[in-house]
Amino acid sequence: MKCRAGCAACCIAPSISSPIPGMPEGKPAGAPCVQLTAEGLCRIFGHPERPAVCGNLQPSAPMCGEGREQATEMLRNLERDTAPDSTSR
């Protein structure tokens, strides 16, 4: 599956703990990455400074759903379910 152009759910919904150019502490869940363009594209796509976690996250039907809204919801749920304190729920 290929990314949907301009979706950007994976650049907003999940947290990223590794440094990103312009976000040395990573990014919190729900915050757009500073490398995200207004068109929903990554400024550093294909560049070595792009975090490995971004390159390793591959689109799939279960993760992306039918559109951006479903992708965002699925990624929020994944973020919640994998948060360090999720075992106490």
Side-chain angles (χ1 to χ4, degrees):
M1 179 173 178
K2 290 187 176 190
C3 284
R4 291 182 187 98
C7 172
C10 61
C11 301
I12 300 169
S15 62
I16 297 176
S17 59
S18 53
I20 302 166
M23 298 179 107
E25 303 297 318
K27 73 167 223 57
C33 177
V34 298
Q35 298 300 330
L36 185 62
T37 69
E39 295 80 23
L41 302 173
C42 177
R43 286 184 185 91
I44 57 173
F45 186 86
H47 293 256
E49 59 270 20
R50 184 175 179 225
V53 68
C54 298
N56 291 334
L57 184 63
Q58 296 297 308
S60 67
M63 180 180 74
C64 300
E66 295 296 320
R68 183 179 189 195
E69 294 77 22
Q70 282 187 357
T72 299
E73 182 179 343
M74 289 180 188
L75 288 165
R76 281 184 190 146
N77 290 340
L78 182 61
E79 178 73 28
R80 181 195 65 227
D81 293 347
T82 59
D85 65 347
S86 67
T87 57
S88 63
R89 294 179 190 180

